Amino acid sequence: MTFNEGIQLDPNRVKTSRGGRGAAVGGIGGLIALIIFMFTGVDLSGVLGGSSTDTASGGTIDLSHCVDADAANQYVECRMVATAESLDALWEQALPQQAGVRYEMPGFTVFEASVNTACGQASSATGPFYCPADQTVYLDVSFFDTLETQLGAENAPLAQEYIVAHEWGHHIQNQLGYMAQVNLRDTGPESGAVRLELQADCLAGMWVRHAASTVDPETGVTFLEPPTRAQLEDALTAAAAVGDDRIQEMTQGRAFPETFTHGTSEQRMRWFATGYEGGTVQSCDTFSMSGADL
Ligand SMILES: [Zn+2]
């Protein structure tokens, strides 16, 4: 989607971090004791061929130029700032209206190589994730390249935004108490883990539905132009690329449904579409579905 001229961005909405590529930091290795919610069901170091992405050393990620729509439409790091502000504006309204809960803004840290969190240390191979212990979304934008080169989706703006909105969905689930109900040791097609992930996809679709009518509170301008069919297709393709079945077939040769934690490609696309069409938190109630309807 394209951000509208006239919006004003606050680069301070997003924190940045650049860590070393310590040998001890292997994907989720540093995180196993603690609960996080990853965008994919796998440690991407396998997908990345054993090493995490190479990033230039030194310097920090600079967001100071992320102040307007031109920057958001041109630079991926600024697109993160704009997407965060759009998500804040939507959930500020929708959460009290639809669920009677006051929205608390999650933290959002864009990092390179590795990052320290209240859930432990993570690397780029972890992929985007949400840490409930510090209520923060963590994302290395190099994941978007991985999405294209390794997972076969298009590295397109709406695909990137869908991923951020999915992680925001986890924060909403945390606020609504869904997260606490789920036993994450439980895996499989009808597990709480899968229901939680599909619900996050649905909440991301819900954001896309409303993004073009959500207004920047600072300027009164709507954040985004309505998505085109081709842009929606980019988000759906990204959802399909991270289905458990697709990733397991790629990394292990076949799918093992009893180990599913995120749902199949078909389910991830369908729940994104359900949120887009339904447009409400209620339409995303994956927990009340029978397994056959999930
Ligand atoms: Zn997730």
Side-chain angles (χ1 to χ4, degrees):
M1 289 189 287
T2 308
F3 288 94
N4 278 320
E5 291 301 323
I7 59 166
Q8 282 174 21
L9 304 180
D10 175 9
N12 295 317
R13 175 63 185 89
V14 179
K15 289 199 173 71
T16 63
S17 174
R18 184 196 287 261
R21 286 195 299 132
V25 187
I28 60 170
L31 290 160
I32 36 177
L34 289 146
I35 302 295
I36 59 163
F37 295 89
M38 292 156 62
F39 182 64
T40 68
V42 289
D43 178 333
L44 294 165
S45 50
V47 177
L48 297 169
S51 77
S52 135
T53 18
D54 274 313
T55 48
S57 56
T60 53
I61 306 164
D62 179 24
L63 300 178
S64 61
H65 56 300
C66 300
V67 293
D68 57 20
D70 283 344
N73 290 329
Q74 191 170 354
Y75 302 111
V76 61
E77 66 275 16
C78 300
R79 194 167 301 125
M80 299 298 99
V81 176
T83 304
E85 292 198 22
S86 167
L87 282 157
D88 284 337
L90 169 68
W91 287 114
E92 194 85 50
Q93 291 177 358
L95 206 57
Q97 273 173 15
Q98 297 184 21
V101 172
R102 196 177 139 266
Y103 174 64
E104 293 162 24
M105 286 202 307
F108 186 19
T109 297
V110 172
F111 72 96
E112 282 181 10
S114 67
V115 66
N116 287 309
T117 81
C119 294
Q121 194 176 31
S123 79
S124 303
T126 311
F129 68 98
Y130 174 72
C131 168
D134 56 20
Q135 299 194 27
T136 297
V137 172
Y138 293 92
L139 182 146
D140 181 334
V141 296
S142 72
F143 175 76
F144 299 139
D145 298 324
T146 304
L147 188 70
E148 179 155 303
T149 57
Q150 306 295 322
L151 301 173
E154 191 84 20
N155 182 5
L158 193 56
Q160 299 168 356
E161 291 154 14
Y162 147 63
I163 292 165
V164 178
H166 170 102
E167 296 306 331
W168 238 259
H170 284 315
H171 176 67
I172 300 302
Q173 294 171 319
N174 194 10
Q175 280 211 254
L176 293 178
Y178 284 105
M179 220 164 241
Q181 296 171 27
V182 171
N183 175 5
L184 292 170
R185 285 173 196 278
D186 217 10
T187 62
E190 297 179 22
S191 63
V194 165
R195 291 173 191 272
L196 201 70
E197 293 298 336
L198 295 177
Q199 186 180 50
D201 284 331
C202 186
L203 295 173
M206 176 182 157
W207 168 75
V208 175
R209 157 74 171 248
H210 295 291
S213 56
T214 300
V215 166
D216 177 0
E218 275 153 35
T219 61
V221 177
T222 52
F223 275 100
L224 282 145
E225 291 173 8
T228 63
R229 184 166 283 272
Q231 288 169 333
L232 283 171
E233 204 57 49
D234 290 334
L236 286 165
T237 305
V242 289
D244 284 326
D245 53 342
R246 179 84 59 93
I247 289 187
Q248 290 183 354
E249 278 158 19
M250 186 176 72
T251 56
Q252 301 174 63
R254 72 173 181 93
F256 299 87
E258 67 280 7
T259 68
F260 283 178
T261 55
H262 283 66
T264 63
S265 296
E266 184 276 325
Q267 286 176 308
R268 296 197 72 165
M269 288 197 292
R270 180 157 45 78
W271 279 101
F272 174 85
T274 298
Y276 180 73
E277 285 154 18
T280 63
V281 173
Q282 285 73 15
S283 63
C284 296
D285 189 5
T286 55
F287 286 87
S288 68
M289 293 278 158
S290 74
D293 292 331
L294 199 61

